[in-house]
Structures are given as C-alpha cells and as structure tokens.
Amino acid sequence: MSLPLDLRRRLKQSRITQNGVGGLQELDSFIAGIDDQQERRECYWQGLLDLQDRRRAACYFDGLGTTRSLSDQIAYAKFLWTMGDITAAHAVMPHDAPLGPKAAALSKALQNQAALFRRLAISSRAEVPARIYRLARQMIPPQPGSGTAFYTGQLGPGGAERQFAHLALALHKKKGPTVSVAVRHTDAARRGDFHAKTLINGGLRPDVLTDIAHSPDGEPKDTDLQDLLDCLHESVRAPVLKLAHIWNAKRPQSAFLWQDGGVLIGALAAALSAVPRIVTSFRGLPPNMRPPLYKPEYEPLYQELSHDPNVAFTSNSAATAAAYCDWLTLPKSRFQMIKNAVSKPSSTGNAAARRLWTNIQSHLNHDTKIVIGVFRCEAVKQPDLWFEAACRTVEQTDDICFIHVGHGTPSAEIQTRVSNTRLKTRIFQIGLSECVGFWLAQADLFLHLARQEGSPNAVIEAQLSRVPVLATPAGGTVETVIDKVSGCLFPNTSPSARDVADRIVDLLSRPGTLHQYADVAARDALRVHAPNAVIARVEALLDTPAKRIAA
C-alpha cells in the first residue's frame, strides 16, 4: 500500500510552505485509519520522506527499537540517502541481509559513495558541488578564451529575466558572436520562454539545455571528478555536463551566471570547461530566507567560490548583498553592485491594450484617478493585500479605480469579492502585457506591496514614467524610493488593507505633492539606472583579466 497521490502532493506542499506541523497532522490522521501494521509503517515512511522531516524520522526509527523490521531499516536508509546523509544511510542500511533488486541497488550505491566520501573527507552530499568545483579548478587549468557566456535557468516574465535578456543583447550588439546565451529550459507551460523571443528577435538565439542530447565531451577524465558528478542528482548532473560541453566548444573568457540555480549549474560547468572568470548575479534575497528555493548545496559551494579571486559576486541592491553576506559570513566588500539597467517604457499601446483601455474608460468618470500595480500574483508580492486594499478604497470613494498588470490572479476569496457588480467596474485585471508603459501612462499612482524584493524594475519604470510610487519597504525598494522625497513608503512590509486604502485616498487628494515626488524620482532613476552606464559597468567586470593562481 502507498499514500494517495493527492495526499503526497499536500505533504510536499506543506514542506515547501513550512507548514510541517499541519503536514504531520494530516499524515498521522491518514495512518490512523490503516489496520495492517506493516502497511502503516510503509506509508508513514513514505510520508516522512515527502515531508523531509529529519527529526521525526530519527525519533520514529529510534522509537521502533527492537521491533524494527528489515523494511524499516531500508526505509530509513532511503530517507537518509535522499537527505544527502550518505555516511549515516550507509550505517543504517542492512547490506548483508537478503535484499530485493531496488534495495540491493541502493546498498551498492551507498557503499560506493560512502567509500568515496571517506577518501575525500566529505561528510554529506551537500558538499559535493563545492568539492567538484575545487577539484576541477585544480585539475583543469583555466584556458584563455574570448567573449562572455550568459547562463540562467529560464526566461520567464520576471524582472531578473528581462534584465538578463536586455544586457545579453546589448553586449551582443557591441561584441557580436563572442557573446552567447544558454538557458536550462524555455518550457512554455512554465512560462520559461517569455523573454526568449526578445533574444531571438535581436539575433541572439539561446542554447537550450533541455533540447540538447547528452555528450561525453563535457565529462572529466579524472576518476574522482567522475564519481563526484555521479553523486549529483540527475537534474543537476545532466545540465552541468551539457553546459560544459557547450562551453568547451565556445571557449568563453568569462561566464555570467544568474540566480542561485544558475550559479550552481554554471559554476560547475565553468570549472569543468576551463572558463577563466566567473561573474555571479544575485537578484533577490538568498535562499536561506526563501525556503521553497533552498538547497543545502548552495552554502558550501558559495563558500568555495568566495575563495576564488576569479569569481565576482554581484547584486542589484545593497539589501541583497547584505543578506547574502550575513548568510555566508562574508565581508560586504566581497560583493559589487550592478544596478538594474532600465529605460523609460514606451507609452504606445498595441491594439489590444487600446481596446481594453477604451472599455475601462467607459465605466469611469472623466476625473477618476487611476492606481496601477505591475506584479506577478505570487505570495511575495502580496496580491491579496493589493486587491483587498483596492476593494476597500473603491468601497469608500467613487473617484478611484485600480488596474493590475501581470500574470496570475489573487485568491479565490478575493476574486469572488472583486467580481461583485460594483467592484468589477472599478478594479480591472489586465494579465500579462507587453505594453506596460501604456498602462503606466494612464496612472496617477503606482502601488507596490511586495513582502520581498531585490531591485524592483516595475517601480523604477513607474518612476521613469513620472508616476508617483506608494510602496512597502521591501529589500531594494528602500534604495529606489526615498520616503517623502521620491515617493512614499509604509513603515513595514505588512500594512493592513485599511491603512493602504487610507494612504491612497490621502495621497491622491494632494496632487501637488505627488508631482514633486515624481519629479525627484524620475531624475534619480535616470541617473542611477541609465542603461549605457550599467552596461559599461557589466562589461568592465566581465572583461577583467583572470588572475593567475599558484598551483
């Protein structure tokens, strides 16, 4: 017997959302209904594996005491193996017992990896990428190359992906074919292709790793390196070897790696393909502060990279740099700043946008004020708070309307409320749009209520469009919006919907003040985010000659 698939999905989701207590309660409730003791244990181990609850798994195994069965030992060994605790898993696994095919394969893999870990003084699988990087740099001397290879995971509709695409195109326009781009996937179902067409239309077609067959050209000749690569999960090993194969052929002088997943894959590929210089680009809070994105491999790898003088750490906000330095206990000088390159978006709308705007106007008075938000409906952007504040504002005044531009929708509860006859003609959801500048041109106020941020492109574009900004002080937003100087900030990132609504009404009643904020913001944004200056900064970092490292 195994757990129902829908329960397994809920357990995994509770792990991602850090609702482990709720997940355990649901697992315990399901297990209580199973009469057969062996089936109950098998299901419980499966649930603990989905929850990845180390403490509960250890307590459960210890609590079984003398009643432990062979299957309990195998299940706990599998749990520890999945968590990367190879030495502990090897000690628990009943290697000499009669085992089925799957258990025998696990036993063999554990014996091989435990021996490798002992020989190389590695304590867990989380250290493997860092050790691969170190050994590869020692055994594969960097080779002088030409140009820059960009790498990131995907090209979705986010601000980081847009920056990636625009910077790559700008350097490609200047340097030609010595600039290349590779991405892990452009899966349309996951919106990973949104900015791919930007690159292709600009004459820069990315290498997509999921479209490339495995090639042995990326594999190292050294046995230890090969064995360590085999310790990686296939979702990491395969793209590393494919990317190393691509870069072995292109021979770039520098690799520009974006986001945590891009750094993990790209740094190993760069070391295996002898790329001399690596520049990282971190665009938001580190993964230790974003549990759904956390991988235990990141910290030891980043520590290893921090000791390499040919690796530059960069971020687009001081808040991001400080958070990474605190996590990794690095001096703040280890990070260099590359602000977002942002141009004023065109206010010209396409036919679809103009039709939508005509329809919206038909519901409004000529003096109605427009509040706009540009964000993805993800938890860190607090979409429910944004729409709840919109509802409250519309309920208390007749001369304000709201327009949301971006992918996704708020919760079903909020959606039901917005669909109310009165509210639905004052709160409009545009969806993804290529005409953000057109919508900004209609706005009187830009409302941004993120809980976490790097350097928010949407806020900067609003400032360049001379739209005053009201925002939460999330991450790099406080570096972009100076409270009561170039916009307005709430005291914290969790204002109440009532407070937001009251602030909106108050600010829109003072147009002169808002115009002053907009003037200062536009001037500062033009100076800080000028594309030519940012591109020159990027180019200088990427073209910095690699230092010779003593053997």
Side-chain angles (χ1 to χ4, degrees):
M1 182 178 181
S2 60
L3 294 178
L5 289 177
D6 61 336
L7 174 57
R8 297 195 67 188
R9 281 193 291 267
R10 291 196 300 274
L11 293 178
K12 291 175 183 177
Q13 185 61 28
S14 72
R15 181 187 80 221
I16 291 171
T17 58
Q18 294 185 288
N19 184 26
V21 173
L24 279 170
Q25 289 174 345
E26 190 166 7
L27 176 61
D28 289 338
S29 176
F30 179 83
I31 296 299
I34 302 175
D35 294 328
D36 183 85
Q37 185 182 63
Q38 183 60 31
E39 288 183 356
R40 187 185 306 127
R41 288 187 179 185
E42 289 174 1
C43 286
Y44 200 66
W45 279 118
Q46 192 174 52
L48 291 175
L49 192 60
D50 289 335
L51 288 167
Q52 294 188 8
D53 189 325
R54 293 172 184 266
R55 186 189 65 80
R56 177 60 68 95
C59 289
Y60 181 61
F61 185 72
D62 292 342
L64 291 174
T66 58
T67 69
R68 289 178 200 147
S69 65
L70 183 65
S71 62
D72 289 322
Q73 290 178 278
I74 295 170
Y76 190 40
K78 181 181 178 182
F79 177 92
L80 293 168
W81 159 269
T82 302
M83 299 303 294
D85 297 333
I86 306 302
T87 302
H90 177 264
V92 169
M93 186 73 189
H95 300 285
D96 297 328
L99 302 173
K102 290 184 178 179
L106 176 60
S107 173
K108 183 178 179 180
L110 279 171
Q111 291 182 69
N112 291 340
Q113 288 197 13
L116 176 69
F117 282 20
R118 283 194 300 271
R119 188 169 76 252
L120 298 179
I122 296 173
S123 60
S124 75
R125 196 184 291 131
E127 298 175 30
V128 168
R131 186 58 61 89
I132 290 172
Y133 184 85
R134 185 192 309 174
L135 285 178
R137 278 304 198 208
Q138 291 170 352
M139 298 176 180
I140 308 172
Q143 299 295 319
S146 176
T148 294
F150 282 67
Y151 177 72
T152 191
Q154 46 83 31
L155 293 167
E161 292 82 1
R162 180 169 50 168
Q163 282 289 302
F164 177 94
H166 288 175
L167 285 174
L169 279 177
L171 288 181
H172 180 257
K173 182 177 180 180
K174 187 173 183 179
K175 296 190 171 187
T178 63
V179 174
S180 64
V181 167
V183 295
R184 184 167 183 169
H185 74 85
T186 53
D187 184 354
R190 291 186 280 171
R191 297 180 292 119
D193 62 341
F194 189 82
H195 286 293
K197 59 187 175 184
T198 303
L199 291 171
I200 294 169
N201 292 340
L204 183 53
R205 183 172 291 275
D207 293 304
V208 182
L209 301 188
T210 52
D211 295 342
I212 298 172
H214 172 71
S215 172
D217 291 352
E219 296 188 10
K221 303 298 186 284
D222 179 77
T223 302
D224 282 345
L225 271 177
Q226 287 182 337
D227 289 343
L228 285 170
L229 283 163
D230 288 340
C231 294
L232 297 174
H233 192 280
E234 188 61 16
S235 63
V236 175
R237 181 181 180 276
V240 165
L241 293 177
K242 289 178 181 181
L243 191 57
H245 168 66
I246 291 170
W247 288 349
N248 270 322
K250 294 184 183 293
R251 290 294 176 196
Q253 173 66 20
S254 58
F256 199 10
L257 313 178
W258 283 55
Q259 309 284 54
D260 296 289
V263 173
L264 173 60
I265 302 296
L268 300 188
L272 292 171
S273 57
V275 177
R277 181 160 172 78
I278 294 172
V279 178
T280 70
S281 180
F282 297 109
R283 317 294 292 186
L285 292 177
N288 67 311
M289 300 176 70
R290 296 189 289 173
L293 302 179
Y294 180 78
K295 293 181 186 295
E297 297 90 342
Y298 287 143
E299 185 172 357
L301 176 62
Y302 294 171
Q303 293 288 356
E304 186 66 38
L305 294 176
S306 72
H307 298 307
D308 187 340
N310 289 317
V311 174
F313 288 166
T314 77
S315 64
N316 60 351
S317 73
T320 293
Y324 271 91
C325 288
D326 288 345
W327 173 41
L328 301 170
T329 61
L330 297 177
K332 299 228 174 3
S333 59
R334 193 61 179 84
F335 267 75
Q336 301 185 59
M337 198 65 56
I338 300 178
K339 289 292 187 178
N340 286 2
V342 186
S343 299
K344 179 183 176 181
S346 170
S347 60
T348 302
N350 58 23
R354 292 195 300 272
R355 282 195 301 272
L356 277 170
W357 176 235
T358 299
N359 178 60
I360 290 171
Q361 286 181 301
S362 70
H363 298 287
L364 309 179
N365 299 322
H366 74 278
D367 59 349
T368 299
K369 302 296 184 182
I370 310 295
V371 179
I372 190 171
V374 180
F375 57 90
R376 304 182 305 279
C377 283
E378 296 178 356
V380 295
K381 303 297 184 181
Q382 302 193 115
D384 280 13
L385 173 60
W386 195 95
F387 280 97
E388 173 68 19
C391 291
R392 285 181 175 272
T393 305
V394 168
E395 286 168 350
Q396 71 184 63
T397 181
D398 293 326
D399 60 356
I400 300 175
C401 92
F402 290 77
I403 297 175
H404 167 240
V405 181
H407 177 78
T409 57
S411 68
E413 180 182 350
I414 294 290
Q415 276 291 91
T416 299
R417 186 172 176 188
V418 170
S419 66
N420 173 277
T421 302
R422 170 175 160 75
L423 298 183
K424 71 180 181 182
T425 58
R426 306 283 293 287
I427 302 172
F428 302 92
Q429 298 174 70
I430 303 303
L432 274 176
S433 175
E434 297 179 356
C435 305
V436 172
F438 172 80
W439 296 108
L440 288 171
Q442 320 310 326
D444 297 284
L445 182 67
F446 187 88
L447 179 64
H448 195 70
L449 299 177
R451 185 175 69 246
Q452 296 176 356
E453 272 294 356
S455 180
N457 280 330
V459 170
I460 299 165
E461 288 188 337
Q463 293 177 319
L464 290 169
S465 301
R466 307 185 79 81
V467 182
V469 174
L470 171 62
T472 49
T477 305
V478 297
E479 300 162 44
T480 303
V481 179
I482 309 303
D483 189 34
K484 296 183 177 61
V485 175
S486 61
C488 287
L489 295 173
F490 290 98
N492 55 60
T493 58
S494 302
S496 69
R498 184 182 299 280
D499 287 344
V500 176
D502 290 346
R503 196 74 177 275
I504 290 169
V505 173
D506 174 62
L507 285 172
L508 288 175
S509 71
R510 297 186 284 125
T513 299
L514 289 179
H515 289 155
Q516 291 176 13
Y517 294 161
D519 288 343
V520 175
R523 183 196 66 211
D524 290 350
L526 278 169
R527 173 177 53 82
V528 174
H529 300 283
N532 287 342
V534 174
I535 291 165
R537 171 79 168 143
V538 170
E539 189 176 4
L541 270 173
L542 293 171
D543 290 348
T544 298
K547 299 176 181 178
R548 182 181 295 276
I549 308 299

